[in-house]
Each structure stands twice: as structure tokens, then as C-alpha cells.
Amino acid sequence: MRFTDKSIIVTGAGSGIGRAAALLFASEGGRVVVADKTEGADETAHLITQAGGAAKAIRIDAGLEEDVIRTIALACDSFGGLDVMFANAGISGGMANLFDTDVALITEVLRVNLIGPFLAIKHAAPRIAERGKGAIVLTASVAGIRSGAGSPAYSASKAGVINLAAVSAQQLTGSNVRVNAICPGLTETGMTKPVFDYAREANKMDRVGRLNPLHRGAQPEELAKVALFLASEDASYVNGQAIAVDGGLSSSHPVTRQEYGKTAA
Ligand SMILES: NC(=O)c1ccc[n+]([C@@H]2O[C@H](COP(=O)([O-])OP(=O)(O)OC[C@H]3O[C@@H](n4cnc5c(N)ncnc54)[C@H](O)[C@@H]3O)[C@@H](O)[C@H]2O)c1
């Protein structure tokens, strides 16, 4: 019960990693503002309250400043302040290559994926600092570490999130507010549903995640658990970092690996 009576905001909590995190925060005693642009927010809040937890749903656009301010106000009014902000909402923006990416597309991807976390830090950090200490966790991606896991717009937005975690941690010196990011690899969520659905239908699940040494994709809870660790006092000395949660994908250059237990050809 690492979050007993803590006031917590999770954006993008209507699905996937955000929903898994909201449920886990609540199961550890946290009181959660469940923010999403869809009705998934209400569903997640319902799941929490049904299980005896405390939650408030709010429909927002996480890339709009007034909505971020409204979300933080709801947490402060409902739960007496703010301890944790998990800025997780994001969009893939599709797989358009450099030349098919128009300014409108990259602007929207950056607005949601990068300006959203920026607004979350800007407005949440002062409220968290008022509590004496707390944490902000951002969702970046392996796509932000190097190329190959998303479109140019998506990858650039997530690289920005990784840098934002580092810069913000520095700018919050003396506040006792830590800022870290998780960098998920391929995870089975709403965003990647078509990939997993196709693989199941085509009987090709063994190919999903085959580029990482664990040879599989992740489940949302595996990401959520790392987000909770970073948000908790267990990570009291982890600050300004981007933690890859990708089965080992980003730990190697793209070489042919020798399989465990098999001799080299
Ligand atoms: N699934 C993966 O393989 C993967 C890999 C790397 C990073 N990520 C990142 O993980 C985060 C969570 O995504 P997910 O995989 O759980 O996908 P998901 O689609 O299941 O969940 C994302 C949620 O964010 C919400 N959302 C999108 N734009 C929003 C906005 N402007 N305002 C408020 N809510 C908004 C969606 O409605 C949805 O409920 C995203 O930032 C995504 O980029 C996912």
C-alpha cells in the first residue's frame, strides 16, 4: 500500500497502460483522478470504485492547457492536494514517413505527446511541491531512444519527452519533486490492437516482439508497475531518468544474437 491517501492523476487512463496504472494505484490506496478524452475514463473510474477505491473521472484533452489546469484542480478539490502526476496520454499519429508527414500531423502529435507532458509538469509540479515531496512520471517510448519504432513525428515527440524529464528534474532542484519517464516497447493496448489482432488471426504471435530477447510483447501491467515504482518512495533517489521497459530491445545494436543454449553456427 505505497499510495495510501495519496492524490494521483493519470492521463490516458481510459485504456491500456494508463488504465492498468490507475487500477494499480487505487489497489495500493491511491485516490485517482482518471483523465482521458474518451468514455474510457468513466469505465476506469467505475472499475476502481466498484472495487472499493476512490476515483474521479474527467474528460479532457491532455494537450490543452485549460484542461490540464482543470484536471489538477479536480484532484486538489477532491483529494486535498496532489502527490503524483502520471502524464501518460499519447497518440501514435499513424506510420506516415517523413515525406507523407504534413505540418498538421506533426503539430498534432507534438501537441498531445510532448506539449501535454510539458503542461502536466508545469502545472502539477507546484501543487506537488506544496506537499513537501512527490513525483511526476511521463510516458515516452523506445521510439524516443532511437529510430525504428514509430513515425518521425511520434519518435521526435517521444525523444522530446525523454529530454523533458531530464530538464524538468533539473529545473525542479530543491522542490523534492522527482521527474522520470518510462520508455515502453511494444505493449498490447488500444494503440497496438491491430498488430496483436492481426498476429493472432494469422497465427503469428511468435513473431510479435521477436526483436527483443524476451521474444514477446508486453502487457500493460508490466509498464504500469514500473510507473508505480517511479511514482513511489521506492524510487526516492531516481530522478531525471528515462527507463526502458522493452524486454531488452534497446540494449543492443541490431545484430544477429546467439540464442541461449544454442551454439554459434
Ligand atoms: N502500446 C505500445 O506499444 C506503446 C509503446 C511505447 C509507448 N507507448 C505510449 O504509452 C502511452 C499510453 O498508450 P497505450 O499504449 O496505453 O495506448 P491506448 O491507446 O490504449 O491508451 C492511450 C489513451 O490515451 C488517450 N488519449 C489520447 N489522446 C489523448 C488526449 N489528447 N487527451 C486525453 N487522453 C488522450 C486515449 O483515449 C487512450 O485512452 C502513450 O503515450 C503511448 O505513446 C505505447
Side-chain angles (χ1 to χ4, degrees):
M1 299 295 279
R2 291 173 294 181
F3 299 98
T4 301
D5 292 337
K6 298 285 186 204
S7 171
I8 295 159
I9 294 171
V10 180
T11 71
S15 173
I17 296 165
R19 173 173 285 178
L23 295 176
L24 281 178
F25 276 125
S27 74
E28 292 206 36
R31 298 183 287 183
V32 189
V33 168
V34 175
D36 202 287
K37 69 178 180 191
T38 71
E39 66 286 351
D42 306 280
E43 292 163 15
T44 304
H46 184 63
L47 289 170
I48 291 173
T49 50
Q50 246 185 350
K56 292 267 178 192
I58 185 169
R59 300 273 192 95
I60 62 154
D61 182 336
L64 283 184
E65 189 156 29
E66 60 265 32
D67 282 14
V68 174
I69 292 170
R70 206 158 52 84
T71 307
I72 293 166
L74 177 65
C76 292
D77 294 347
S78 307
F79 303 138
L82 184 63
D83 300 289
V84 171
M85 166 63 88
F86 182 23
N88 163 76
I91 54 173
S92 84
M95 286 301 288
N97 73 23
L98 198 60
F99 303 103
D100 291 333
T101 301
D102 59 24
V103 171
L105 174 61
I106 192 166
T107 301
E108 179 61 4
V109 172
L110 291 172
R111 187 185 74 79
V112 176
N113 290 4
L114 181 55
I115 295 178
F118 155 73
L119 293 170
I121 299 166
K122 179 180 175 183
H123 294 291
R127 300 285 79 77
I128 298 173
E130 285 167 8
R131 308 282 262 195
K133 67 179 168 190
I136 298 172
V137 182
L138 315 173
T139 301
S141 170
V142 286
I145 299 174
R146 52 179 69 91
S147 72
S151 71
Y154 183 78
S155 300
S157 73
K158 295 301 188 177
V161 173
I162 291 170
N163 202 268
L164 196 56
V167 174
S168 308
Q170 295 300 318
Q171 299 238 319
L172 288 166
T173 296
S175 69
N176 260 335
V177 180
R178 296 177 296 105
V179 188
N180 292 289
I182 56 168
C183 299
L186 182 65
T187 308
E188 185 165 9
T189 66
M191 187 177 278
T192 55
K193 193 174 181 316
V195 175
F196 283 83
D197 283 352
Y198 168 77
R200 279 203 185 90
E201 270 167 36
N203 209 15
K204 288 182 174 166
M205 274 304 279
D206 59 329
R207 300 189 64 183
V208 172
R210 72 189 186 285
L211 295 177
N212 75 61
L214 296 184
H215 274 175
R216 64 175 178 86
Q219 289 303 307
E221 292 72 21
E222 297 181 279
L223 279 301
K225 283 178 187 169
V226 181
L228 260 78
F229 164 70
L230 292 172
S232 78
E233 276 299 288
D234 289 345
S236 55
Y237 206 54
V238 183
N239 196 16
Q241 303 304 309
I243 313 290
V245 190
D246 63 356
L249 179 74
S250 61
S251 65
S252 174
H253 294 294
V255 294
T256 306
R257 281 182 299 264
Q258 189 181 327
E259 293 277 333
Y260 177 74
K262 291 186 187 165
T263 48

